[in-house]
PDB file of all heavy atoms in Angstrom:
ATOM      1  N   MET A 510     126.568 182.855-110.674  1.00  0.00           N
ATOM      2  CA  MET A 510     127.506 182.064-109.865  1.00  0.00           C
ATOM      3  C   MET A 510     126.813 180.875-109.207  1.00  0.00           C
ATOM      4  O   MET A 510     127.426 180.161-108.419  1.00  0.00           O
ATOM      5  CB  MET A 510     128.129 182.944-108.770  1.00  0.00           C
ATOM      6  CG  MET A 510     128.941 184.095-109.278  1.00  0.00           C
ATOM      7  SD  MET A 510     130.390 183.587-110.219  1.00  0.00           S
ATOM      8  CE  MET A 510     131.450 183.034-108.907  1.00  0.00           C
ATOM      9  N   ASN A 511     125.518 180.719-109.507  1.00  0.00           N
ATOM     10  CA  ASN A 511     124.759 179.624-108.916  1.00  0.00           C
ATOM     11  C   ASN A 511     124.707 179.713-107.390  1.00  0.00           C
ATOM     12  O   ASN A 511     124.798 178.701-106.688  1.00  0.00           O
ATOM     13  CB  ASN A 511     125.399 178.287-109.329  1.00  0.00           C
ATOM     14  CG  ASN A 511     124.344 177.287-109.684  1.00  0.00           C
ATOM     15  OD1 ASN A 511     123.155 177.593-109.596  1.00  0.00           O
ATOM     16  ND2 ASN A 511     124.760 176.099-110.056  1.00  0.00           N
ATOM     17  N   ILE A 512     124.601 180.922-106.904  1.00  0.00           N
ATOM     18  CA  ILE A 512     124.534 181.159-105.460  1.00  0.00           C
ATOM     19  C   ILE A 512     123.095 181.492-105.098  1.00  0.00           C
ATOM     20  O   ILE A 512     122.464 182.335-105.734  1.00  0.00           O
ATOM     21  CB  ILE A 512     125.493 182.308-105.062  1.00  0.00           C
ATOM     22  CG1 ILE A 512     126.936 181.817-105.175  1.00  0.00           C
ATOM     23  CG2 ILE A 512     125.197 182.824-103.649  1.00  0.00           C
ATOM     24  CD1 ILE A 512     127.983 182.884-105.031  1.00  0.00           C
ATOM     25  N   ASN A 513     122.599 180.804-104.079  1.00  0.00           N
ATOM     26  CA  ASN A 513     121.210 180.995-103.662  1.00  0.00           C
ATOM     27  C   ASN A 513     121.050 182.364-102.997  1.00  0.00           C
ATOM     28  O   ASN A 513     121.934 182.819-102.270  1.00  0.00           O
ATOM     29  CB  ASN A 513     120.856 179.882-102.667  1.00  0.00           C
ATOM     30  CG  ASN A 513     119.375 179.713-102.480  1.00  0.00           C
ATOM     31  OD1 ASN A 513     118.564 180.346-103.165  1.00  0.00           O
ATOM     32  ND2 ASN A 513     118.997 178.866-101.545  1.00  0.00           N
ATOM     33  N   PHE A 514     119.952 183.033-103.256  1.00  0.00           N
ATOM     34  CA  PHE A 514     119.680 184.311-102.589  1.00  0.00           C
ATOM     35  C   PHE A 514     118.178 184.523-102.491  1.00  0.00           C
ATOM     36  O   PHE A 514     117.404 183.895-103.191  1.00  0.00           O
ATOM     37  CB  PHE A 514     120.349 185.478-103.332  1.00  0.00           C
ATOM     38  CG  PHE A 514     119.858 185.692-104.742  1.00  0.00           C
ATOM     39  CD1 PHE A 514     118.880 186.639-105.008  1.00  0.00           C
ATOM     40  CD2 PHE A 514     120.361 184.946-105.794  1.00  0.00           C
ATOM     41  CE1 PHE A 514     118.416 186.850-106.298  1.00  0.00           C
ATOM     42  CE2 PHE A 514     119.893 185.137-107.087  1.00  0.00           C
ATOM     43  CZ  PHE A 514     118.928 186.088-107.349  1.00  0.00           C
ATOM     44  N   SER A 515     117.804 185.422-101.619  1.00  0.00           N
ATOM     45  CA  SER A 515     116.373 185.693-101.391  1.00  0.00           C
ATOM     46  C   SER A 515     115.948 186.928-102.170  1.00  0.00           C
ATOM     47  O   SER A 515     116.692 187.906-102.240  1.00  0.00           O
ATOM     48  CB  SER A 515     116.140 185.928 -99.901  1.00  0.00           C
ATOM     49  OG  SER A 515     114.886 186.544 -99.710  1.00  0.00           O
ATOM     50  N   THR A 516     114.738 186.880-102.723  1.00  0.00           N
ATOM     51  CA  THR A 516     114.196 188.074-103.373  1.00  0.00           C
ATOM     52  C   THR A 516     113.074 188.672-102.519  1.00  0.00           C
ATOM     53  O   THR A 516     112.222 189.404-103.016  1.00  0.00           O
ATOM     54  CB  THR A 516     113.650 187.741-104.777  1.00  0.00           C
ATOM     55  OG1 THR A 516     112.689 186.692-104.654  1.00  0.00           O
ATOM     56  CG2 THR A 516     114.743 187.331-105.730  1.00  0.00           C
ATOM     57  N   ALA A 517     113.093 188.352-101.218  1.00  0.00           N
ATOM     58  CA  ALA A 517     112.025 188.846-100.327  1.00  0.00           C
ATOM     59  C   ALA A 517     111.893 190.361-100.373  1.00  0.00           C
ATOM     60  O   ALA A 517     110.811 190.901-100.196  1.00  0.00           O
ATOM     61  CB  ALA A 517     112.290 188.388 -98.899  1.00  0.00           C
ATOM     62  N   CYS A 518     113.000 191.060-100.643  1.00  0.00           N
ATOM     63  CA  CYS A 518     112.933 192.528-100.641  1.00  0.00           C
ATOM     64  C   CYS A 518     112.091 193.057-101.800  1.00  0.00           C
ATOM     65  O   CYS A 518     111.731 194.232-101.811  1.00  0.00           O
ATOM     66  CB  CYS A 518     114.332 193.129-100.678  1.00  0.00           C
ATOM     67  SG  CYS A 518     115.248 192.723-102.163  1.00  0.00           S
ATOM     68  N   LEU A 519     111.795 192.199-102.784  1.00  0.00           N
ATOM     69  CA  LEU A 519     110.977 192.640-103.925  1.00  0.00           C
ATOM     70  C   LEU A 519     109.502 192.352-103.706  1.00  0.00           C
ATOM     71  O   LEU A 519     108.669 192.660-104.560  1.00  0.00           O
ATOM     72  CB  LEU A 519     111.432 191.932-105.209  1.00  0.00           C
ATOM     73  CG  LEU A 519     112.909 192.020-105.534  1.00  0.00           C
ATOM     74  CD1 LEU A 519     113.210 191.247-106.802  1.00  0.00           C
ATOM     75  CD2 LEU A 519     113.324 193.469-105.690  1.00  0.00           C
ATOM     76  N   GLU A 520     109.210 191.731-102.561  1.00  0.00           N
ATOM     77  CA  GLU A 520     107.833 191.351-102.261  1.00  0.00           C
ATOM     78  C   GLU A 520     106.902 192.553-102.378  1.00  0.00           C
ATOM     79  O   GLU A 520     107.175 193.594-101.781  1.00  0.00           O
ATOM     80  CB  GLU A 520     107.782 190.883-100.807  1.00  0.00           C
ATOM     81  CG  GLU A 520     107.104 189.582-100.612  1.00  0.00           C
ATOM     82  CD  GLU A 520     107.308 189.105 -99.181  1.00  0.00           C
ATOM     83  OE1 GLU A 520     106.893 189.798 -98.254  1.00  0.00           O
ATOM     84  OE2 GLU A 520     107.915 188.031 -99.014  1.00  0.00           O
ATOM     85  N   PRO A 521     105.813 192.415-103.126  1.00  0.00           N
ATOM     86  CA  PRO A 521     104.881 193.539-103.169  1.00  0.00           C
ATOM     87  C   PRO A 521     104.066 193.586-101.885  1.00  0.00           C
ATOM     88  O   PRO A 521     103.932 192.588-101.195  1.00  0.00           O
ATOM     89  CB  PRO A 521     103.978 193.191-104.350  1.00  0.00           C
ATOM     90  CG  PRO A 521     104.020 191.705-104.396  1.00  0.00           C
ATOM     91  CD  PRO A 521     105.360 191.270-103.892  1.00  0.00           C
ATOM     92  N   LYS A 522     103.531 194.747-101.609  1.00  0.00           N
ATOM     93  CA  LYS A 522     102.615 194.852-100.456  1.00  0.00           C
ATOM     94  C   LYS A 522     101.252 194.359-100.907  1.00  0.00           C
ATOM     95  O   LYS A 522     100.812 194.662-102.015  1.00  0.00           O
ATOM     96  CB  LYS A 522     102.483 196.303-100.035  1.00  0.00           C
ATOM     97  CG  LYS A 522     103.603 196.791 -99.185  1.00  0.00           C
ATOM     98  CD  LYS A 522     103.166 198.058 -98.437  1.00  0.00           C
ATOM     99  CE  LYS A 522     104.307 198.633 -97.640  1.00  0.00           C
ATOM    100  NZ  LYS A 522     105.256 199.386 -98.455  1.00  0.00           N
TER     101      LYS A 522
END
Side-chain angles (χ1 to χ4, degrees):
M510 298 297 285
N511 222 359
I512 288 171
N513 197 6
F514 62 97
S515 164
T516 55
C518 63
L519 307 178
E520 230 171 60
K522 279 199 184 78

